[in-house]
Amino acid sequence: MNTEEFNPIITVKNLQLAYGEHLVLQDVSFDIKQGTCLVVMGGSGCGKSTLLKSMVGLLEPVQGEISISGERLWDANSNGSKIFNKFGVLFQGGALWSSMTIRENVALPLEVYTELAEKEIEDIVRYKLSLVGLSGFENFHPSQLSGGMKKRAGLARALALDPKILFFDEPSAGLDPITSKRLDDLITELKESLGMTFVVISHELASIFDIADDAIFLDAKSKTLLDRGPPRTLLDQSNHQDVVDFLTRNESSNN
């Protein structure tokens, strides 16, 4: 048996998150296997984005721990470990620098975190943009791109340092169904061809059922992880009506 296949690349244990006195999540525990896509879902105000912030090092837990490849994230944050180079993040709007070209945006992490020569950085930038279907757009500015192209440019930047893990916050938000499907297909292709692990926040049902190997459902009322499993399994077998309602809702009345 190949034990590596069963070792989680991310472990979240007994996590409690808050903003000051306002408790957001409590007693949250789950793990994520390498090379899979976990979708974080739940209704408005359930703590999805707060959980993502903590997992990428932007919000320190009140208690509990997050480990990536066996290394505790918040210990790493205090001792200068390079654990943060193991993952990339794609925020909702792409979070591109508007004054920079797409090439400059993608090159930025390479310039800051590596000592690569300019020619090597240029080669990597061209390769990452080709991966996301943006060859030829190197000298465009974000304002010249469509919403879907901005998302893909943000993805190219997130891929710049060859991360093992990619965190996405609502990658399909604001996209038309065709563009959203293309982005979902790209996520699956990167997972299957490069063995990357994805953590995706999403409320889009089509996307959830398309990309998720596993999913967790956060509950705003109990402030806990209410259920977990592949979305179709949750749809068929969940004992929690809130989970079933979420997965069978009419999206046109919820967007």
Side-chain angles (χ1 to χ4, degrees):
M1 179 181 294
N2 182 0
T3 56
E4 289 186 5
E5 183 178 342
F6 297 94
N7 288 337
I9 190 169
I10 300 175
T11 300
V12 176
K13 185 176 181 181
N14 302 326
L15 197 67
Q16 181 173 317
L17 300 174
Y19 295 109
E21 297 297 316
H22 176 63
L23 179 66
V24 179
L25 288 170
Q26 60 185 346
D27 196 28
V28 171
S29 298
F30 61 93
D31 54 30
I32 304 171
K33 301 297 187 291
Q34 184 171 347
T36 63
C37 177
L38 175 90
V39 168
V40 182
M41 57 188 188
S44 178
C46 69
K48 299 186 297 293
S49 294
T50 300
L51 175 61
L52 183 74
K53 286 180 181 178
S54 188
M55 293 180 75
V56 301
L58 296 177
L59 178 65
E60 187 169 3
V62 175
Q63 67 181 41
E65 63 184 60
I66 300 167
S67 298
I68 294 179
S69 298
E71 187 174 0
R72 291 178 63 175
L73 178 61
W74 286 95
D75 287 351
N77 198 25
S78 63
N79 65 25
S81 167
K82 293 184 178 180
I83 189 172
F84 295 102
N85 290 345
K86 294 181 180 179
F87 58 76
V89 185
L90 177 61
F91 296 103
Q92 276 197 38
L96 299 169
W97 293 97
S98 60
S99 61
M100 293 181 174
T101 65
I102 301 307
R103 179 193 63 77
E104 291 168 336
N105 267 279
V106 178
L108 185 60
L110 295 163
E111 294 168 347
V112 173
Y113 293 108
T114 75
E115 297 180 358
L116 294 172
E118 184 177 343
K119 176 63 166 59
E120 293 174 299
I121 290 176
E122 290 294 326
D123 289 343
I124 292 172
V125 169
R126 279 197 297 270
Y127 173 63
K128 301 302 182 183
L129 287 173
S130 71
L131 272 181
V132 301
L134 288 179
S135 294
F137 290 90
E138 290 85 354
N139 295 319
F140 281 59
H141 283 78
S143 61
Q144 297 174 286
L145 303 182
S146 67
M149 293 170 76
K150 288 178 184 177
K151 291 284 180 80
R152 284 186 281 147
L155 176 54
R157 187 179 61 187
L159 290 168
L161 295 173
D162 292 325
K164 294 182 178 180
I165 306 162
L166 286 172
F167 294 92
F168 286 0
D169 187 3
E170 297 283 5
S172 299
L175 301 183
D176 63 84
I178 294 176
T179 303
S180 177
K181 181 63 169 65
R182 287 174 179 165
L183 189 58
D184 288 346
D185 290 345
L186 180 57
I187 290 172
T188 300
E189 181 182 342
L190 290 171
K191 181 188 70 175
E192 294 178 350
S193 63
L194 301 179
M196 289 183 175
T197 303
F198 288 84
V199 181
V200 180
I201 292 178
S202 183
H203 71 276
E204 305 277 355
L205 290 183
S207 182
I208 289 170
F209 285 114
D210 197 20
I211 66 175
D213 299 296
D214 202 0
I216 59 173
F217 186 91
L218 303 180
D219 178 50
K221 290 176 287 188
S222 63
K223 303 183 187 301
T224 60
L225 192 164
L226 192 62
D227 212 343
R228 175 188 180 172
R232 295 194 185 280
T233 300
L234 291 176
L235 178 61
D236 294 336
Q237 301 178 13
S238 179
N239 294 320
H240 301 280
Q241 190 60 44
D242 285 347
V243 177
V244 176
D245 289 346
F246 180 89
L247 291 172
T248 56
R249 73 194 192 281
N250 181 351
E251 284 195 297
S252 63
S253 64
N254 285 274
N255 290 339

